[in-house]
Amino acid sequence: VPETALITLYARGTEAARPDGLLRDPLAARLVATLDFPFRERFGRPDQHPVIRALQFDRIVRAHLAAYPDCTVVALGEGLETQLWRVGNETAAWVSVDLPEMSALRRRLLPGRSRNYLVSSSALDPGWTSHIAVGPPPLIIAQGLLMYFTCAQVGGFLRLLADRCPGARVVFDTIPAWAATNTGHRQNAAYRMPPQPWGTGRRALLRLLGEAGIGSARIMPEEKGRGVIWGHLYPAATRIAPGLLPMTVTFTIPIH
Ligand SMILES: C[S@@+](CC[C@H](N)C(=O)[O-])C[C@H]1O[C@@H](n2cnc3c(N)ncnc32)[C@H](O)[C@@H]1O
């Protein structure tokens, strides 16, 4: 699963290197250009979905930091995401949580930055919550993570958030139920994705949130990509049939 962080990095770095790229991210572009890794051979052509998802998450982080510049941002399953350099400020604490092998790679490949704390642990382990500072509402983001959990693990994760992070704003994305797989999608002859067991629609998600004591959630509108598919068809399809495509969801954990 950690290797999937290279797929999304590849998409963002390739986009950032284009003169007409939607994402300004010189660090991601440099990583993709300099890492000795056969991105193209292994993953095929990069697609725009990770790019428009990153734009969407960036918008949420920017808005939260504008309202609470001294808050804690926790990025769960952060991989080699360089969002901190795109939208971070100098005052918020940024807690990067990932599995040990990916945390080690992140430490090696990305420049150090003050107030960025790397936590080497599973997002399912409650330990990372102790890094949230008392004060402004924290922001907890999980980009491209929850589809790698089982439905029971997602339920446990939501209960963990509800118990340990009252008042936090949370953002994560989902894949639809029809796209979930216990074997992994074949990307090309050389590469099969790892299993993505958890997929959901809008109603099932709201039920799961309700069971964890989280009352309401908002499905974010998609950002527009480039070209006919990502610029027009995909955003239109997400408006017409939101539960049948990936969703980005945001909500605030109630304070009891
Ligand atoms: C598709 S990548 C997404 C990386 C990054 N968020 C992005 O959008 O580029 C999935 C990431 O989730 C991490 N991951 C998988 N299971 C995890 C877990 N239980 N706890 C923390 N991170 C996990 C992987 O190591 C990997 O970095």
Side-chain angles (χ1 to χ4, degrees):
V1 174
E3 189 186 10
T4 59
L6 291 167
I7 304 178
T8 47
L9 170 70
Y10 179 40
R12 290 188 302 269
T14 310
E15 183 70 23
R18 290 176 65 109
D20 61 346
L22 297 168
L23 203 61
R24 283 175 60 87
D25 193 333
L27 182 54
R30 198 171 73 230
L31 275 175
V32 169
T34 55
L35 272 181
D36 183 15
F37 185 85
F39 289 101
R40 180 73 186 231
E41 291 76 6
R42 192 133 173 84
F43 306 136
R45 271 163 58 94
D47 89 53
Q48 276 184 59
H49 186 256
V51 174
I52 56 179
R53 185 174 71 187
L55 290 171
Q56 201 179 33
F57 275 70
D58 282 2
R59 186 137 60 97
I60 295 166
V61 179
R62 266 198 209 97
H64 195 87
L65 288 180
Y68 308 107
D70 302 326
C71 72
T72 303
V73 178
V74 183
L76 299 170
E78 197 178 23
L80 295 173
E81 173 50 294
T82 44
Q83 185 179 43
L84 169 57
W85 287 267
R86 292 197 303 274
V87 299
N89 66 13
E90 297 303 320
T91 48
W94 190 286
V95 182
S96 303
V97 181
D98 210 306
L99 299 173
E101 61 202 290
M102 181 46 73
S103 276
L105 201 58
R106 189 174 172 90
R107 198 179 298 278
R108 223 173 97 195
L109 295 178
L110 295 184
R113 188 166 155 140
S114 70
R115 303 186 62 72
N116 180 204
Y117 308 100
L118 269 67
V119 177
S120 177
S121 109
S122 169
L124 298 170
D125 177 340
W128 60 264
T129 59
S130 66
H131 293 267
I132 297 176
V134 177
L139 175 65
I140 299 170
I141 55 188
Q143 191 189 170
L145 174 66
L146 268 59
M147 57 289 289
Y148 296 101
F149 294 171
T150 62
C151 187
Q153 286 173 323
V154 173
F157 173 70
L158 294 175
R159 285 192 296 279
L160 166 74
L161 293 180
D163 288 349
R164 304 273 186 129
C165 310
R169 183 144 181 103
V170 179
V171 192
F172 62 73
D173 60 303
T174 64
I175 59 168
W178 61 262
T181 155
N182 288 317
T183 51
H185 296 288
R186 180 167 283 290
Q187 197 94 333
N188 57 48
Y191 180 69
R192 182 185 282 279
M193 292 277 293
Q196 296 183 315
W198 187 60
T200 187
R202 191 207 288 249
R203 214 176 305 154
L205 175 65
L206 289 176
R207 200 171 44 240
L208 208 55
L209 288 169
E211 283 165 11
I214 299 159
S216 62
R218 179 166 174 242
I219 298 173
M220 298 296 293
E222 293 290 322
E223 298 285 330
K224 273 180 125 185
R226 275 180 297 98
V228 176
I229 293 178
W230 294 104
H232 298 284
L233 295 180
Y234 184 76
T238 57
R239 277 195 302 278
I240 296 164
L244 290 181
L245 289 165
M247 296 184 288
T248 293
V249 183
T250 174
F251 52 87
T252 300
I253 306 281
I255 301 175
H256 294 295

